[in-house]
Amino acid sequence: MNNTKIYQNTWPLQQLPATMKLSNLEWRFLLCADGKATVDQIQRRLGVSEKERDYILSRLCGSNLLTESIVSLEEFAKTTVDIAAPVSEPQTFIEYLKSTESPGSSTEKNMPAFSPLQKPAAAPSTARAMSLQSVIQFILNQNPDPTAGHLATYQVFMGIDTQLLKRNGITSLRFQDDRLITDPELQTAITDNIQKVLKITCPEDVFVASPPGR
Amino acid sequence: MNADQLKIFQNITLTYFAKMASKEELPVLEEAYLQFESPVLLDYTSLVHISGSYEGCLYITTTTGVLEVLLSQHGEKEVNDITRLDMCRELSNVLAGNASRAFGADWTISVPQSVTADKISTLNLPPSTFIMPFLWKGIKSFLVVGLQTKGQS
């Protein structure tokens, strides 16, 4: 099935937790999702099947690492042209960062003057994301014995309403899993249960900075 | 429930399977994980309820294939629904004994239950479970701990 949706990274890659782990294909997909290329284009660049593409996409979206982009008419037209002339996938992280530099740094793009409507001044966002892997590591690190760490993690999560977990796409949890939790209700439930079970406060470094535009 | 108790429970349960196989076919415990909402349940489940600082259950859920291998190891030639359920009951008794040995000091252990796949809706399982998969004779089974705070069910 064709998929002409366009996705962009929810978070600047530099802000992703160092402990986060993805498969090679998932990282490549994430690097290609630049807010310009359609899902179809990325699929062709990576040479994956539709099934693989949809699986990776659902994993990345489910982990809140990708967000669908809303594009302008010009951007839309460009993606249509790009189908005929596919762009090569960034091969390295540095290439990716270069490819996402602001338009002002490039002389090739001669963008027509465009004055967007002024957005109403928004209150400073207090939203922040919690790295699930950082939380798990924090709990595991309190216990020198891995089994004790696993049991402590279970005791923390068993006190959380499963509907709340499900609402955030968490139906099971492996100890190496990672995702960014943006739901403040779930963040609070996790920190409260860490306090309740482990009798310690969840540290601030399990949180990462706010995603752009939130 | 503490880690030492859990490790004793894991070890004595896996030892039961190890005794039924040659050295090359020892059961292998795989990495544990947590499951929310939909507890893992296979063809046959042997279960005990436990009550202590929390309440919940311990269970082994396994396939028809594993029970048939166990029947064969016990020298049972007849393999049908009745003997498979008998084997499941035998496993339930082993589970109850192991649970008493590992957790009996702090927990009350119920009489064991043996349940086939078509009766699993009768089980009252906690919504969050700690799953310990193990592989024996190439077939995966699950040793499961399900706990919840008292009065949550």
Side-chain angles (χ1 to χ4, degrees):
Chain A
M1 189 189 294
N2 286 337
N3 192 334
T4 55
K5 286 185 178 175
I6 295 172
Y7 287 85
Q8 64 185 9
N9 292 193
T10 310
W11 311 81
L13 291 180
Q14 299 90 328
Q15 285 185 18
L16 293 178
T19 52
M20 196 178 86
K21 287 183 180 170
L22 296 174
S23 71
N24 181 283
L25 264 180
E26 286 167 342
W27 276 118
R28 290 171 65 201
F29 199 105
L30 200 61
L31 292 177
C32 288
D34 56 1
K36 297 170 190 165
T38 66
V39 170
D40 274 349
Q41 288 169 321
I42 296 173
Q43 179 195 347
R44 281 196 295 274
R45 284 180 208 173
L46 301 185
V48 294
S49 67
E50 274 183 18
K51 198 175 163 189
E52 286 172 310
R53 174 199 74 185
D54 292 342
Y55 175 73
I56 294 167
L57 187 60
S58 73
R59 286 250 313 160
L60 295 176
C61 289
S63 303
N64 197 27
L65 291 168
L66 283 185
T67 310
E68 191 179 349
S69 292
I70 307 300
V71 296
S72 67
L73 176 61
E74 183 181 12
E75 287 164 337
F76 165 73
K78 179 137 188 7
T79 62
T80 311
V81 171
D82 282 349
I83 289 171
V87 183
S88 64
E89 169 199 358
Q91 295 301 306
T92 65
F93 185 60
I94 299 298
E95 278 180 31
Y96 168 79
L97 293 178
K98 282 183 181 169
S99 74
T100 58
E101 279 175 359
S102 62
S105 63
S106 167
T107 52
E108 291 172 17
K109 290 180 181 173
N110 188 15
M111 301 280 281
F114 175 66
S115 302
L117 291 172
Q118 201 65 38
K119 280 172 73 176
S125 170
T126 54
R128 56 185 184 161
M130 175 187 263
S131 159
L132 184 58
Q133 182 52 219
S134 298
V135 170
I136 294 170
Q137 280 306 320
F138 172 72
I139 300 169
L140 295 179
N141 289 342
Q142 307 309 309
N143 297 281
D145 174 51
T147 306
H150 291 170
L151 207 49
T153 309
Y154 172 52
Q155 286 171 321
V156 167
F157 279 86
M158 81 182 204
I160 298 173
D161 181 3
T162 50
Q163 289 298 320
L164 177 59
L165 291 165
K166 194 177 173 187
R167 212 165 66 214
N168 283 273
I170 302 173
T171 53
S172 66
L173 183 72
R174 291 181 186 274
F175 297 99
Q176 68 277 16
D177 278 356
D178 200 8
R179 64 170 58 220
L180 294 169
I181 298 165
T182 53
D183 182 346
E185 194 183 343
L186 181 54
Q187 291 175 357
T188 305
I190 291 171
T191 52
D192 285 356
N193 274 290
I194 287 175
Q195 182 72 51
K196 196 169 150 187
V197 173
L198 305 178
K199 316 282 184 222
I200 44 174
T201 304
C202 186
E204 278 297 304
D205 63 11
V206 302
F207 291 97
V208 294
S210 303
R214 291 202 175 201
Chain B
M1 182 177 291
N2 62 46
D4 289 337
Q5 289 174 323
L6 183 62
K7 278 193 270 193
I8 290 170
F9 179 64
Q10 284 173 344
N11 289 338
I12 56 182
T13 304
L14 293 186
T15 299
Y16 172 80
F17 288 91
K19 283 180 182 168
M20 299 283 169
S22 62
K23 278 186 181 174
E24 294 78 41
E25 297 172 310
L26 293 177
V28 179
L29 195 62
E30 299 186 341
E31 193 182 342
Y33 64 94
L34 313 184
Q35 181 78 34
F36 307 109
E37 276 232 313
S38 314
V40 58
L41 291 161
L42 303 176
D43 303 333
Y44 288 88
T45 300
S46 302
L47 175 142
V48 289
H49 289 285
I50 57 172
S51 178
S53 46
Y54 295 100
E55 61 186 4
C57 64
L58 305 167
Y59 66 85
I60 297 176
T61 188
T62 193
T63 62
T64 301
V66 165
L67 292 184
E68 289 177 359
V69 174
L70 287 172
L71 280 171
S72 155
Q73 300 289 340
H74 277 82
E76 175 63 61
K77 291 191 172 62
E78 205 170 326
V79 177
N80 54 41
D81 286 351
I82 293 168
T83 55
R84 276 191 291 263
L85 192 55
D86 282 346
M87 194 64 242
C88 180
R89 288 194 187 106
E90 155 79 13
L91 208 49
S92 302
N93 288 329
V94 170
L95 180 80
N98 291 351
S100 294
R101 196 169 140 197
F103 305 111
D106 310 321
W107 298 75
T108 307
I109 316 289
S110 76
V111 291
Q113 270 182 278
S114 307
V115 185
T116 50
D118 58 330
K119 300 271 173 35
I120 52 177
S121 59
T122 62
L123 294 174
N124 179 22
L125 300 174
S128 301
T129 45
F130 183 79
I131 315 271
M132 295 161 280
F134 66 95
L135 201 61
W136 184 64
K137 300 256 183 187
I139 308 172
K140 194 172 281 195
S141 300
F142 299 88
L143 190 56
V144 181
V145 174
L147 297 174
Q148 60 192 356
T149 49
K150 285 187 170 180
Q152 199 180 323
S153 58

